[in-house]
PDB file of all heavy atoms in Angstrom:
ATOM      1  N   SER A 179      22.775 -52.137  29.196  1.00 40.00           N
ATOM      2  CA  SER A 179      21.471 -51.698  29.742  1.00 40.00           C
ATOM      3  C   SER A 179      21.766 -50.688  30.867  1.00 40.00           C
ATOM      4  O   SER A 179      22.755 -50.567  31.451  1.00 40.00           O
ATOM      5  CB  SER A 179      20.714 -52.860  30.297  1.00 40.00           C
ATOM      6  OG  SER A 179      21.506 -53.386  31.431  1.00 40.00           O
ATOM      7  N   TYR A 180      20.726 -49.849  31.029  1.00 37.00           N
ATOM      8  CA  TYR A 180      20.745 -48.807  32.035  1.00 37.00           C
ATOM      9  C   TYR A 180      20.481 -49.369  33.368  1.00 37.00           C
ATOM     10  O   TYR A 180      19.617 -50.140  33.651  1.00 37.00           O
ATOM     11  CB  TYR A 180      19.689 -47.672  31.705  1.00 37.00           C
ATOM     12  CG  TYR A 180      19.726 -46.662  32.670  1.00 37.00           C
ATOM     13  CD1 TYR A 180      20.803 -45.911  33.157  1.00 37.00           C
ATOM     14  CD2 TYR A 180      18.408 -46.218  33.193  1.00 37.00           C
ATOM     15  CE1 TYR A 180      20.693 -44.881  33.981  1.00 37.00           C
ATOM     16  CE2 TYR A 180      18.346 -45.229  34.081  1.00 37.00           C
ATOM     17  CZ  TYR A 180      19.484 -44.530  34.492  1.00 37.00           C
ATOM     18  OH  TYR A 180      19.409 -43.471  35.336  1.00 37.00           O
ATOM     19  N   LEU A 181      21.491 -48.976  34.358  1.00 38.00           N
ATOM     20  CA  LEU A 181      21.313 -49.537  35.707  1.00 38.00           C
ATOM     21  C   LEU A 181      20.201 -48.698  36.463  1.00 38.00           C
ATOM     22  O   LEU A 181      20.364 -47.569  36.874  1.00 38.00           O
ATOM     23  CB  LEU A 181      22.644 -49.297  36.463  1.00 38.00           C
ATOM     24  CG  LEU A 181      23.842 -50.004  35.835  1.00 38.00           C
ATOM     25  CD1 LEU A 181      25.073 -49.687  36.618  1.00 38.00           C
ATOM     26  CD2 LEU A 181      23.609 -51.479  35.708  1.00 38.00           C
ATOM     27  N   SER A 182      19.046 -49.295  36.438  1.00 38.00           N
ATOM     28  CA  SER A 182      17.808 -48.650  37.091  1.00 38.00           C
ATOM     29  C   SER A 182      17.141 -49.629  37.904  1.00 38.00           C
ATOM     30  O   SER A 182      16.039 -50.188  37.549  1.00 38.00           O
ATOM     31  CB  SER A 182      16.958 -48.009  35.992  1.00 38.00           C
ATOM     32  OG  SER A 182      15.786 -47.418  36.570  1.00 38.00           O
ATOM     33  N   PRO A 183      17.621 -49.927  39.147  1.00 36.00           N
ATOM     34  CA  PRO A 183      16.935 -50.835  39.993  1.00 36.00           C
ATOM     35  C   PRO A 183      15.636 -50.424  40.433  1.00 36.00           C
ATOM     36  O   PRO A 183      15.433 -49.183  40.810  1.00 36.00           O
ATOM     37  CB  PRO A 183      17.950 -50.973  41.181  1.00 36.00           C
ATOM     38  CG  PRO A 183      18.724 -49.702  41.219  1.00 36.00           C
ATOM     39  CD  PRO A 183      18.749 -49.352  39.757  1.00 36.00           C
ATOM     40  N   GLY A 184      14.657 -51.312  40.370  1.00 36.00           N
ATOM     41  CA  GLY A 184      13.308 -50.992  40.852  1.00 36.00           C
ATOM     42  C   GLY A 184      13.223 -50.899  42.408  1.00 36.00           C
ATOM     43  O   GLY A 184      14.109 -51.201  43.133  1.00 36.00           O
ATOM     44  N   LEU A 185      12.136 -50.368  42.815  1.00 31.00           N
ATOM     45  CA  LEU A 185      11.970 -50.217  44.229  1.00 31.00           C
ATOM     46  C   LEU A 185      11.897 -51.503  45.016  1.00 31.00           C
ATOM     47  O   LEU A 185      12.409 -51.475  46.152  1.00 31.00           O
ATOM     48  CB  LEU A 185      10.611 -49.429  44.517  1.00 31.00           C
ATOM     49  CG  LEU A 185      10.303 -49.052  45.923  1.00 31.00           C
ATOM     50  CD1 LEU A 185      11.337 -48.161  46.541  1.00 31.00           C
ATOM     51  CD2 LEU A 185       8.909 -48.427  46.039  1.00 31.00           C
ATOM     52  N   TYR A 186      11.439 -52.520  44.464  1.00 29.00           N
ATOM     53  CA  TYR A 186      11.351 -53.788  45.061  1.00 29.00           C
ATOM     54  C   TYR A 186      12.308 -54.766  44.622  1.00 29.00           C
ATOM     55  O   TYR A 186      12.280 -55.944  44.924  1.00 29.00           O
ATOM     56  CB  TYR A 186       9.956 -54.353  44.909  1.00 29.00           C
ATOM     57  CG  TYR A 186       8.884 -53.468  45.238  1.00 29.00           C
ATOM     58  CD1 TYR A 186       7.860 -53.114  44.356  1.00 29.00           C
ATOM     59  CD2 TYR A 186       8.765 -52.790  46.459  1.00 29.00           C
ATOM     60  CE1 TYR A 186       6.825 -52.219  44.660  1.00 29.00           C
ATOM     61  CE2 TYR A 186       7.787 -51.878  46.755  1.00 29.00           C
ATOM     62  CZ  TYR A 186       6.818 -51.583  45.882  1.00 29.00           C
ATOM     63  OH  TYR A 186       5.842 -50.679  46.185  1.00 29.00           O
ATOM     64  N   GLY A 187      13.300 -54.344  43.824  1.00 32.00           N
ATOM     65  CA  GLY A 187      14.156 -55.419  43.154  1.00 32.00           C
ATOM     66  C   GLY A 187      15.697 -55.020  43.278  1.00 32.00           C
ATOM     67  O   GLY A 187      16.413 -55.259  42.355  1.00 32.00           O
ATOM     68  N   HIS A 188      16.026 -54.425  44.388  1.00 35.00           N
ATOM     69  CA  HIS A 188      17.513 -54.093  44.605  1.00 35.00           C
ATOM     70  C   HIS A 188      18.475 -55.358  44.385  1.00 35.00           C
ATOM     71  O   HIS A 188      19.498 -55.260  43.934  1.00 35.00           O
ATOM     72  CB  HIS A 188      17.690 -53.357  45.859  1.00 35.00           C
ATOM     73  CG  HIS A 188      17.067 -52.068  45.984  1.00 35.00           C
ATOM     74  ND1 HIS A 188      17.159 -51.124  45.001  1.00 35.00           N
ATOM     75  CD2 HIS A 188      16.290 -51.496  46.953  1.00 35.00           C
ATOM     76  CE1 HIS A 188      16.471 -50.065  45.380  1.00 35.00           C
ATOM     77  NE2 HIS A 188      15.886 -50.305  46.499  1.00 35.00           N
ATOM     78  N   ALA A 189      17.963 -56.399  44.920  1.00 32.00           N
ATOM     79  CA  ALA A 189      18.822 -57.593  44.961  1.00 32.00           C
ATOM     80  C   ALA A 189      19.039 -58.208  43.629  1.00 32.00           C
ATOM     81  O   ALA A 189      19.930 -58.945  43.358  1.00 32.00           O
ATOM     82  CB  ALA A 189      18.192 -58.687  45.905  1.00 32.00           C
ATOM     83  N   LEU A 190      18.135 -57.853  42.629  1.00 33.00           N
ATOM     84  CA  LEU A 190      18.264 -58.490  41.331  1.00 33.00           C
ATOM     85  C   LEU A 190      19.009 -57.563  40.341  1.00 33.00           C
ATOM     86  O   LEU A 190      18.909 -57.796  39.101  1.00 33.00           O
ATOM     87  CB  LEU A 190      16.803 -58.757  40.777  1.00 33.00           C
ATOM     88  CG  LEU A 190      15.961 -59.545  41.743  1.00 33.00           C
ATOM     89  CD1 LEU A 190      14.547 -59.810  41.176  1.00 33.00           C
ATOM     90  CD2 LEU A 190      16.670 -60.953  41.976  1.00 33.00           C
ATOM     91  N   THR A 191      19.538 -56.467  40.803  1.00 38.00           N
ATOM     92  CA  THR A 191      20.168 -55.499  39.879  1.00 38.00           C
ATOM     93  C   THR A 191      21.590 -55.244  40.306  1.00 38.00           C
ATOM     94  O   THR A 191      22.032 -55.694  41.474  1.00 38.00           O
ATOM     95  CB  THR A 191      19.361 -54.152  39.895  1.00 38.00           C
ATOM     96  OG1 THR A 191      19.379 -53.751  41.194  1.00 38.00           O
ATOM     97  CG2 THR A 191      18.032 -54.397  39.280  1.00 38.00           C
ATOM     98  N   THR A 192      22.405 -54.523  39.486  1.00 45.00           N
ATOM     99  CA  THR A 192      23.804 -54.409  39.775  1.00 45.00           C
ATOM    100  C   THR A 192      23.975 -53.052  40.564  1.00 45.00           C
ATOM    101  O   THR A 192      23.537 -52.060  40.173  1.00 45.00           O
ATOM    102  CB  THR A 192      24.489 -54.209  38.444  1.00 45.00           C
ATOM    103  OG1 THR A 192      24.357 -55.394  37.617  1.00 45.00           O
ATOM    104  CG2 THR A 192      26.013 -54.062  38.738  1.00 45.00           C
ATOM    105  N   PRO A 193      24.490 -53.144  41.781  1.00 48.00           N
ATOM    106  CA  PRO A 193      24.649 -51.880  42.497  1.00 48.00           C
ATOM    107  C   PRO A 193      25.657 -51.034  41.961  1.00 48.00           C
ATOM    108  O   PRO A 193      26.576 -51.478  41.183  1.00 48.00           O
ATOM    109  CB  PRO A 193      24.975 -52.381  43.932  1.00 48.00           C
ATOM    110  CG  PRO A 193      25.693 -53.750  43.658  1.00 48.00           C
ATOM    111  CD  PRO A 193      24.990 -54.250  42.480  1.00 48.00           C
ATOM    112  N   THR A 194      25.773 -49.792  42.274  1.00 48.00           N
ATOM    113  CA  THR A 194      26.684 -48.821  41.753  1.00 48.00           C
ATOM    114  C   THR A 194      27.931 -48.654  42.685  1.00 48.00           C
ATOM    115  O   THR A 194      28.466 -47.584  42.942  1.00 48.00           O
ATOM    116  CB  THR A 194      26.058 -47.446  41.600  1.00 48.00           C
ATOM    117  OG1 THR A 194      25.649 -47.015  42.758  1.00 48.00           O
ATOM    118  CG2 THR A 194      25.011 -47.559  40.563  1.00 48.00           C
ATOM    119  N   TYR A 195      28.516 -49.830  43.242  1.00 47.00           N
ATOM    120  CA  TYR A 195      29.692 -49.773  44.021  1.00 47.00           C
ATOM    121  C   TYR A 195      30.443 -51.046  43.763  1.00 47.00           C
ATOM    122  O   TYR A 195      29.838 -51.967  43.277  1.00 47.00           O
ATOM    123  CB  TYR A 195      29.436 -49.666  45.464  1.00 47.00           C
ATOM    124  CG  TYR A 195      28.583 -50.748  46.154  1.00 47.00           C
ATOM    125  CD1 TYR A 195      29.217 -51.895  46.495  1.00 47.00           C
ATOM    126  CD2 TYR A 195      27.233 -50.697  46.141  1.00 47.00           C
ATOM    127  CE1 TYR A 195      28.392 -53.014  47.060  1.00 47.00           C
ATOM    128  CE2 TYR A 195      26.409 -51.826  46.662  1.00 47.00           C
ATOM    129  CZ  TYR A 195      27.154 -52.932  47.095  1.00 47.00           C
ATOM    130  OH  TYR A 195      26.448 -53.969  47.657  1.00 47.00           O
ATOM    131  N   ASP A 196      31.764 -50.908  44.032  1.00 44.00           N
ATOM    132  CA  ASP A 196      32.600 -52.032  43.676  1.00 44.00           C
ATOM    133  C   ASP A 196      32.471 -53.116  44.802  1.00 44.00           C
ATOM    134  O   ASP A 196      32.494 -52.858  45.979  1.00 44.00           O
ATOM    135  CB  ASP A 196      34.070 -51.551  43.597  1.00 44.00           C
ATOM    136  CG  ASP A 196      34.990 -52.639  43.060  1.00 44.00           C
ATOM    137  OD1 ASP A 196      34.868 -53.853  43.263  1.00 44.00           O
ATOM    138  OD2 ASP A 196      35.924 -52.246  42.236  1.00 44.00           O
ATOM    139  N   VAL A 197      32.309 -54.420  44.401  1.00 36.00           N
ATOM    140  CA  VAL A 197      32.004 -55.489  45.415  1.00 36.00           C
ATOM    141  C   VAL A 197      33.285 -55.799  46.097  1.00 36.00           C
ATOM    142  O   VAL A 197      33.219 -56.507  47.121  1.00 36.00           O
ATOM    143  CB  VAL A 197      31.511 -56.701  44.618  1.00 36.00           C
ATOM    144  CG1 VAL A 197      30.110 -56.434  44.032  1.00 36.00           C
ATOM    145  CG2 VAL A 197      32.402 -57.142  43.536  1.00 36.00           C
ATOM    146  N   ARG A 198      34.449 -55.334  45.630  1.00 36.00           N
ATOM    147  CA  ARG A 198      35.738 -55.747  46.379  1.00 36.00           C
ATOM    148  C   ARG A 198      35.976 -54.772  47.415  1.00 36.00           C
ATOM    149  O   ARG A 198      36.326 -55.220  48.575  1.00 36.00           O
ATOM    150  CB  ARG A 198      36.857 -55.769  45.393  1.00 36.00           C
ATOM    151  CG  ARG A 198      36.642 -56.947  44.314  1.00 36.00           C
ATOM    152  CD  ARG A 198      37.747 -56.752  43.221  1.00 36.00           C
ATOM    153  NE  ARG A 198      37.568 -55.489  42.435  1.00 36.00           N
ATOM    154  CZ  ARG A 198      38.389 -55.102  41.534  1.00 36.00           C
ATOM    155  NH1 ARG A 198      39.411 -55.828  41.165  1.00 36.00           N
ATOM    156  NH2 ARG A 198      38.238 -53.962  40.915  1.00 36.00           N
ATOM    157  N   ASP A 199      35.935 -53.409  47.254  1.00 39.00           N
ATOM    158  CA  ASP A 199      36.395 -52.475  48.212  1.00 39.00           C
ATOM    159  C   ASP A 199      35.238 -51.537  48.651  1.00 39.00           C
ATOM    160  O   ASP A 199      35.516 -50.669  49.458  1.00 39.00           O
ATOM    161  CB  ASP A 199      37.597 -51.658  47.818  1.00 39.00           C
ATOM    162  CG  ASP A 199      37.370 -50.905  46.461  1.00 39.00           C
ATOM    163  OD1 ASP A 199      36.236 -51.041  45.937  1.00 39.00           O
ATOM    164  OD2 ASP A 199      38.274 -50.196  46.056  1.00 39.00           O
ATOM    165  N   GLY A 200      34.003 -51.627  48.043  1.00 41.00           N
ATOM    166  CA  GLY A 200      33.009 -50.835  48.355  1.00 41.00           C
ATOM    167  C   GLY A 200      32.992 -49.459  47.864  1.00 41.00           C
ATOM    168  O   GLY A 200      32.116 -48.537  48.091  1.00 41.00           O
ATOM    169  N   SER A 201      33.998 -49.124  46.950  1.00 47.00           N
ATOM    170  CA  SER A 201      34.014 -47.746  46.293  1.00 47.00           C
ATOM    171  C   SER A 201      32.948 -47.703  45.205  1.00 47.00           C
ATOM    172  O   SER A 201      32.572 -48.731  44.566  1.00 47.00           O
ATOM    173  CB  SER A 201      35.440 -47.495  45.714  1.00 47.00           C
ATOM    174  OG  SER A 201      35.712 -48.479  44.761  1.00 47.00           O
ATOM    175  N   PRO A 202      32.499 -46.435  44.952  1.00 51.00           N
ATOM    176  CA  PRO A 202      31.504 -46.316  43.951  1.00 51.00           C
ATOM    177  C   PRO A 202      31.922 -46.612  42.555  1.00 51.00           C
ATOM    178  O   PRO A 202      33.112 -46.302  42.215  1.00 51.00           O
ATOM    179  CB  PRO A 202      31.143 -44.741  44.015  1.00 51.00           C
ATOM    180  CG  PRO A 202      31.657 -44.306  45.342  1.00 51.00           C
ATOM    181  CD  PRO A 202      32.797 -45.174  45.670  1.00 51.00           C
ATOM    182  N   VAL A 203      31.089 -47.291  41.774  1.00 53.00           N
ATOM    183  CA  VAL A 203      31.477 -47.543  40.400  1.00 53.00           C
ATOM    184  C   VAL A 203      31.310 -46.271  39.620  1.00 53.00           C
ATOM    185  O   VAL A 203      30.367 -45.544  39.845  1.00 53.00           O
ATOM    186  CB  VAL A 203      30.501 -48.682  39.827  1.00 53.00           C
ATOM    187  CG1 VAL A 203      30.696 -48.743  38.351  1.00 53.00           C
ATOM    188  CG2 VAL A 203      30.799 -49.984  40.565  1.00 53.00           C
ATOM    189  N   SER A 204      32.255 -45.967  38.772  1.00 52.00           N
ATOM    190  CA  SER A 204      32.395 -44.722  38.060  1.00 52.00           C
ATOM    191  C   SER A 204      32.411 -44.898  36.619  1.00 52.00           C
ATOM    192  O   SER A 204      32.870 -45.949  36.105  1.00 52.00           O
ATOM    193  CB  SER A 204      33.525 -43.816  38.526  1.00 52.00           C
ATOM    194  OG  SER A 204      33.432 -43.708  39.944  1.00 52.00           O
ATOM    195  N   PRO A 205      32.084 -43.897  35.808  1.00 54.00           N
ATOM    196  CA  PRO A 205      32.290 -43.967  34.387  1.00 54.00           C
ATOM    197  C   PRO A 205      33.701 -43.968  34.061  1.00 54.00           C
ATOM    198  O   PRO A 205      34.687 -43.692  34.847  1.00 54.00           O
ATOM    199  CB  PRO A 205      31.548 -42.726  33.814  1.00 54.00           C
ATOM    200  CG  PRO A 205      30.686 -42.243  34.915  1.00 54.00           C
ATOM    201  CD  PRO A 205      31.353 -42.670  36.189  1.00 54.00           C
ATOM    202  N   THR A 206      34.143 -44.239  32.832  1.00 50.00           N
ATOM    203  CA  THR A 206      35.465 -44.295  32.347  1.00 50.00           C
ATOM    204  C   THR A 206      35.874 -42.887  31.883  1.00 50.00           C
ATOM    205  O   THR A 206      35.269 -42.341  31.007  1.00 50.00           O
ATOM    206  CB  THR A 206      35.635 -45.391  31.211  1.00 50.00           C
ATOM    207  OG1 THR A 206      35.163 -46.635  31.655  1.00 50.00           O
ATOM    208  CG2 THR A 206      37.105 -45.449  30.827  1.00 50.00           C
ATOM    209  N   TRP A 207      36.988 -42.340  32.395  1.00 49.00           N
ATOM    210  CA  TRP A 207      37.563 -41.109  31.906  1.00 49.00           C
ATOM    211  C   TRP A 207      38.661 -41.407  30.970  1.00 49.00           C
ATOM    212  O   TRP A 207      39.579 -42.159  31.219  1.00 49.00           O
ATOM    213  CB  TRP A 207      38.091 -40.347  33.211  1.00 49.00           C
ATOM    214  CG  TRP A 207      37.111 -39.950  34.076  1.00 49.00           C
ATOM    215  CD1 TRP A 207      36.137 -40.740  34.790  1.00 49.00           C
ATOM    216  CD2 TRP A 207      36.830 -38.558  34.559  1.00 49.00           C
ATOM    217  NE1 TRP A 207      35.354 -39.978  35.602  1.00 49.00           N
ATOM    218  CE2 TRP A 207      35.743 -38.686  35.509  1.00 49.00           C
ATOM    219  CE3 TRP A 207      37.422 -37.377  34.296  1.00 49.00           C
ATOM    220  CZ2 TRP A 207      35.235 -37.532  36.071  1.00 49.00           C
ATOM    221  CZ3 TRP A 207      36.903 -36.317  34.958  1.00 49.00           C
ATOM    222  CH2 TRP A 207      35.835 -36.382  35.823  1.00 49.00           C
ATOM    223  N   VAL A 208      38.584 -40.798  29.798  1.00 48.00           N
ATOM    224  CA  VAL A 208      39.573 -40.960  28.757  1.00 48.00           C
ATOM    225  C   VAL A 208      40.496 -39.777  28.759  1.00 48.00           C
ATOM    226  O   VAL A 208      40.179 -38.645  28.830  1.00 48.00           O
ATOM    227  CB  VAL A 208      38.928 -41.150  27.406  1.00 48.00           C
ATOM    228  CG1 VAL A 208      39.872 -41.232  26.302  1.00 48.00           C
ATOM    229  CG2 VAL A 208      37.951 -42.283  27.370  1.00 48.00           C
ATOM    230  N   GLY A 209      41.820 -40.108  28.683  1.00 43.00           N
ATOM    231  CA  GLY A 209      42.840 -39.071  28.547  1.00 43.00           C
ATOM    232  C   GLY A 209      43.336 -38.732  29.922  1.00 43.00           C
ATOM    233  O   GLY A 209      43.006 -39.224  31.045  1.00 43.00           O
ATOM    234  N   ASP A 210      44.311 -37.710  29.905  1.00 40.00           N
ATOM    235  CA  ASP A 210      44.957 -37.266  31.248  1.00 40.00           C
ATOM    236  C   ASP A 210      44.038 -36.495  32.053  1.00 40.00           C
ATOM    237  O   ASP A 210      43.140 -35.696  31.385  1.00 40.00           O
ATOM    238  CB  ASP A 210      46.199 -36.509  30.898  1.00 40.00           C
ATOM    239  CG  ASP A 210      47.225 -37.375  30.244  1.00 40.00           C
ATOM    240  OD1 ASP A 210      47.229 -38.623  30.438  1.00 40.00           O
ATOM    241  OD2 ASP A 210      48.114 -36.777  29.436  1.00 40.00           O
TER     242      ASP A 210
END
Side-chain angles (χ1 to χ4, degrees):
S179 60
Y180 176 51
L181 302 179
S182 181
L185 182 62
Y186 310 124
H188 293 311
L190 306 178
T191 56
T192 305
T194 61
Y195 61 87
D196 195 320
V197 295
R198 294 172 297 178
D199 59 0
S201 60
V203 171
S204 303
T206 303
W207 293 55
V208 178
D210 297 332

